[in-house]
Amino acid sequence: MTSGPRRVLMVAYHFPPLTGSSGIQRTLRFVQHLPALGWQPIVLTASPRAYERTSHDLDSDVPPDTVVCRAFALDTARHLSLAGRYAQALARPDRWMSWRFDAVRQGLALVRRYRPQVIWSTYPIATAHVIGAALHRASCLPWVADFRDPMAQEGYPADPLTWKSYDRIERHAILNAAASTFTTPGAAAEYRRRYPQAASRIDVLENGFDEASFASADPVAIAAQGPLNPGAVTLVHSGIVYPSERDPTQLMVALRRMHDTGTIAPGSLKLRFRASVADDLINRLATERGVQAYVETLPSIPYRQALEEMLRADGLLVLQANNCNEQIPAKVYEYIRARRPTLGLADPAGDTASVLRNAGYTHLAPLESADAIALAFTAFLSDLRAGRAPLPDTAALRGASRLARSEAFARLLERVTTQ
């Protein structure tokens, strides 16, 4: 057992003041909870200049005594392009590949100064694992590679050279890290199949919700604000709508069918897409199907305001295509904590639908089938208006908190540093 404070060097691109990605919450909440669990985080992240959008609304959630080192980094698309074009080699494995150079230099300085017991790096910025690998190689410290989701997949990344880069990075991490973690059982199982020689070192470490953030919402003030759209049932989809992974095309087709059959009428229903980053796509699809009266797209708002919006919504909307069956949107766990009726448009065979079912939700349909969506949506609205739409049970809430995930993470750190 190591004497004195135990430290973990955390390599993470997603960290405040970056905004616009729920991925920030994973590292941020680990940083919050680990000190009480016997681990002091040292954060190695990117310079804010590398972030497309920033907000300081979560700065105060970083414990004041946390060491945060921000290494020089550029975004190739914004800083190294000419007339909107840039060399693809400068964006491989990702647009933030420049981060690795100063991050490795500063990371080694952090290792010398603070003597951490373990290194942790987290995807979906692949360069983070490049940095983690370099620090592991130079320091001989155990390394935990947090993949969250699969990296090299069939058809993703689309560019063959980038795919090869991803494949090389993931292979090196899986075979050399003391542990590799994924956020879903399906992803972990897939990687155990890919790398049977490392199967015993592949773990599931799910995402979750932050109870303190929800507890800060004033229920009296929320009730006083009233419904999001008076007179209309409002379902909120909070977060990015990826054109492939969360394609809303068949949802718009289903809305048109429901309109044509009189199930819905203008003024009775609104689908609110908050911070989708795909407003043009959503509005175009809605216009093509003549259902724009049922759709609204709104910009990003601070994190806690987004949580309050979930709490005020009549219902919540999950989109997840069957090409992401081994992934679960981090937002799903916040939906569960919000305890609002939820319509899940996800493949019944995938991990997202499994989490929703296990939480007690029953209104589910594959995102690729307009027929199934129309049936599930119609039943959902009927149950919602009758006050019988299911809500998540207590056990689902208890197990999905960020604190519970941090406790599991602390046990993992203990294991890799004592084996």
Side-chain angles (χ1 to χ4, degrees):
M1 182 72 68
T2 303
S3 61
R6 294 178 296 176
R7 299 186 177 97
V8 51
L9 176 58
M10 307 182 74
V11 183
Y13 173 85
H14 292 89
F15 202 72
L18 174 65
T19 190
S21 170
S22 59
I24 298 165
Q25 296 298 320
R26 187 169 176 87
T27 301
L28 176 59
R29 303 311 166 187
F30 284 155
V31 167
Q32 275 190 318
H33 293 303
L34 282 177
L37 300 169
W39 288 91
Q40 186 61 46
I42 303 160
V43 180
L44 176 59
T45 188
S47 165
R49 82 181 70 199
Y51 300 150
E52 289 186 78
R53 294 183 299 280
T54 60
S55 170
H56 294 285
D57 64 301
L58 292 177
D59 286 1
S60 62
D61 286 9
V62 181
D65 58 346
T66 304
V67 175
V68 179
C69 177
R70 302 186 184 277
F72 176 83
L74 298 174
D75 176 351
T76 298
R78 291 185 296 121
H79 300 127
L80 300 176
S81 64
L82 183 63
R85 300 173 66 85
Y86 54 86
Q88 288 298 312
L90 298 178
R92 195 172 291 128
D94 51 57
R95 289 161 36 195
W96 300 274
M97 56 85 68
S98 61
W99 178 35
R100 66 181 291 188
F101 303 107
D102 192 42
V104 171
R105 181 185 68 83
Q106 296 212 43
L108 290 174
L110 292 170
V111 169
R112 290 191 294 270
R113 179 174 180 182
Y114 294 102
R115 299 189 179 279
Q117 281 70 49
V118 59
I119 295 164
W120 177 82
S121 60
T122 185
Y123 180 72
I125 300 303
T127 294
H129 282 341
V130 176
I131 297 165
L135 296 176
H136 162 66
R137 185 167 54 248
S139 68
C140 295
L141 289 169
W143 171 31
V144 176
D146 182 44
F147 282 85
R148 308 192 193 193
D149 297 324
M151 279 189 66
Q153 305 170 60
E154 184 177 352
Y156 178 85
D159 173 61
L161 291 178
T162 303
W163 190 94
K164 289 181 180 179
S165 176
Y166 268 43
D167 182 63
R168 183 171 59 252
I169 291 167
E170 82 165 31
R171 180 174 296 275
H172 180 84
I174 293 287
L175 297 181
N176 289 275
S180 297
T181 54
F182 294 84
T183 59
T184 70
E190 168 61 25
Y191 274 73
R192 291 182 188 120
R193 286 192 293 270
R194 287 191 200 183
Y195 302 98
Q197 65 272 52
S200 64
R201 294 182 279 114
I202 295 174
D203 295 88
V204 177
L205 187 59
E206 291 186 62
N207 283 311
F209 65 84
D210 179 51
E211 178 59 32
S213 296
F214 277 94
S216 66
D218 182 353
V220 175
I222 290 173
Q225 294 179 66
L228 295 175
N229 287 298
V233 171
T234 301
L235 306 190
V236 170
H237 181 280
S238 189
I240 299 174
V241 175
Y242 298 102
S244 171
E245 296 88 340
R246 297 173 190 168
D247 181 4
T249 299
Q250 297 306 311
L251 171 59
M252 298 303 169
V253 174
L255 282 177
R256 182 69 213 188
R257 292 182 185 175
M258 294 166 68
H259 171 85
D260 290 344
T261 59
T263 303
I264 56 175
S268 69
L269 173 70
K270 281 288 186 181
L271 300 190
R272 174 175 292 189
F273 292 90
R274 171 68 70 183
S276 76
V277 191
D279 290 2
D280 290 346
L281 170 66
I282 293 168
N283 290 324
R284 176 177 61 79
L285 291 172
T287 300
E288 287 175 355
R289 295 295 171 177
V291 294
Q292 58 268 43
Y294 300 103
V295 174
E296 56 184 5
T297 53
L298 295 175
S300 176
I301 53 179
Y303 177 64
R304 284 182 174 79
Q305 288 184 29
L307 297 185
E308 290 181 0
E309 184 174 56
M310 292 179 203
L311 293 168
R312 290 178 61 201
D314 298 298
L316 301 171
L317 177 65
V318 175
L319 306 180
Q320 190 78 332
N322 59 15
N323 60 7
C324 291
N325 273 1
E326 296 162 351
Q327 300 175 32
I328 302 170
K331 197 69 65 177
V332 165
Y333 299 96
E334 292 172 346
Y335 283 11
I336 291 171
R337 172 54 183 85
R339 299 198 81 241
R340 305 302 300 142
T342 296
L343 174 65
L345 304 185
D347 186 350
D351 284 345
T352 296
S354 178
V355 165
L356 291 170
R357 273 195 306 269
N358 291 340
Y361 293 116
T362 58
H363 296 100
L364 306 171
L367 183 59
E368 295 75 19
S369 171
D371 290 340
I373 292 172
L375 286 172
F377 206 155
T378 299
F380 176 74
L381 288 176
S382 176
D383 285 352
L384 187 63
R385 289 166 175 150
R388 58 174 181 260
L391 299 177
D393 57 37
T394 304
L397 289 175
R398 187 165 47 244
S401 72
R402 291 283 184 185
L403 175 57
R405 307 306 193 211
S406 297
E407 291 170 346
F409 185 27
R411 291 192 295 271
L412 175 65
L413 294 177
E414 179 74 26
R415 189 183 82 215
V416 302
T417 55
T418 56
Q419 61 189 12

